[in-house]
Amino acid sequence: MDYRFTIIVPVYNEEDNLQRVEKELASYLKIASVSTSILFVNDGSQDNSQALIEDICNRHEAFEYITFKENRGLSAAIKAGFDFAETALVGYIDSDLQTTPEDFNSLLEHIDSYDLVTGVRSERKDSFVKNMSSKIANGIRRAFTHDGMDDTGCPLKVIKTDYAKRIPMFRGLHRFLPAMIMLQNGKVLQVPVRHFPRLAGTAKFGLWNRLLGPLMDCFAYLWMKKKYINYDVCKSSK
């Protein structure tokens, strides 16, 4: 089957969530507004996630996986998904399912006119500390990037794959995907999406890496912005 959209699902020690992930994504494929496949990226999980992922992929034709030899982090998992995707559109969702794949249809409504459509979590169901640290981190990022984005940490995005593959990823860059699309002169849109409490597993980010990490990554982004190469070919013999 020819798919148009690949959903990347980064996984790190999420054995307690994967049964729900299978159910939710399989249900979404029945109502997806474009033909869609699923790509699990197992980021070196040390629990039973790999065995569960293989079982899921054996049950569903549209599900595939890649597995890292060791844990490399969320940005690496997303980058690997971009590299392996062969569809015109690519997106991702966290395996904690605090967002719903159903909302991909809301993002896909706009992707023909934009190069990245990102969700903005409304009425977030996180703790006060997590919400405040995210607001501070987003404020720091906006001050450096001027990207105008309210919630770059939202794990629900759709990107045109040719733009995604040109992003020079580094650790922490998942927070800067809209800014990196803008560096390519791409157009970005925010769309409200639903948010839910985590029902299983544990969060992989704490207060320290929600604040210090984004601040350090901002300096890396500024360096990259200064050195970034962008060009448009106006004529070719091919």
Side-chain angles (χ1 to χ4, degrees), residues 124-142:
R124 288 184 63 174
K125 303 300 190 295
D126 288 324
S127 67
F128 174 79
V129 171
K130 187 174 181 180
N131 283 333
M132 287 304 298
S133 61
S134 293
K135 287 182 179 179
I136 294 170
N138 274 305
I140 293 171
R141 190 208 67 259
R142 280 196 303 270

Side-chain angles (χ1 to χ4, degrees), residues 155-169:
L156 206 67
K157 292 177 173 63
V158 177
I159 313 171
K160 289 178 178 173
T161 304
D162 56 344
Y163 280 81
K165 288 183 181 292
R166 290 197 296 265
I167 296 175
M169 294 288 279

Side-chain angles (χ1 to χ4, degrees), residues 140-182:
I140 293 171
R141 190 208 67 259
R142 280 196 303 270
F144 277 80
T145 65
H146 305 288
D147 61 10
M149 297 291 105
D150 298 315
D151 185 17
T152 60
C154 178
L156 206 67
K157 292 177 173 63
V158 177
I159 313 171
K160 289 178 178 173
T161 304
D162 56 344
Y163 280 81
K165 288 183 181 292
R166 290 197 296 265
I167 296 175
M169 294 288 279
F170 60 86
R171 188 180 296 273
L173 193 65
H174 61 275
R175 305 180 182 100
F176 295 84
L177 293 179
M180 295 307 299
I181 297 301
M182 291 177 182

Side-chain angles (χ1 to χ4, degrees), residues 132-134 136-137 140 206-216:
M132 287 304 298
S133 61
S134 293
I136 294 170
I140 293 171
L207 177 61
W208 183 252
N209 54 24
R210 281 199 188 94
L211 295 179
L212 182 60
L215 178 60
M216 296 175 64

Side-chain angles (χ1 to χ4, degrees), residues 93-135:
I93 185 171
D94 279 354
S95 51
D96 61 15
L97 287 183
Q98 287 194 255
T99 52
T100 174
E102 291 180 7
D103 284 340
F104 274 121
N105 284 351
S106 298
L107 307 187
L108 288 164
E109 287 180 12
H110 305 280
I111 196 61
D112 288 341
S113 301
Y114 293 87
D115 304 300
L116 179 149
V117 182
T118 181
V120 179
R121 292 166 288 188
S122 57
E123 300 181 6
R124 288 184 63 174
K125 303 300 190 295
D126 288 324
S127 67
F128 174 79
V129 171
K130 187 174 181 180
N131 283 333
M132 287 304 298
S133 61
S134 293
K135 287 182 179 179

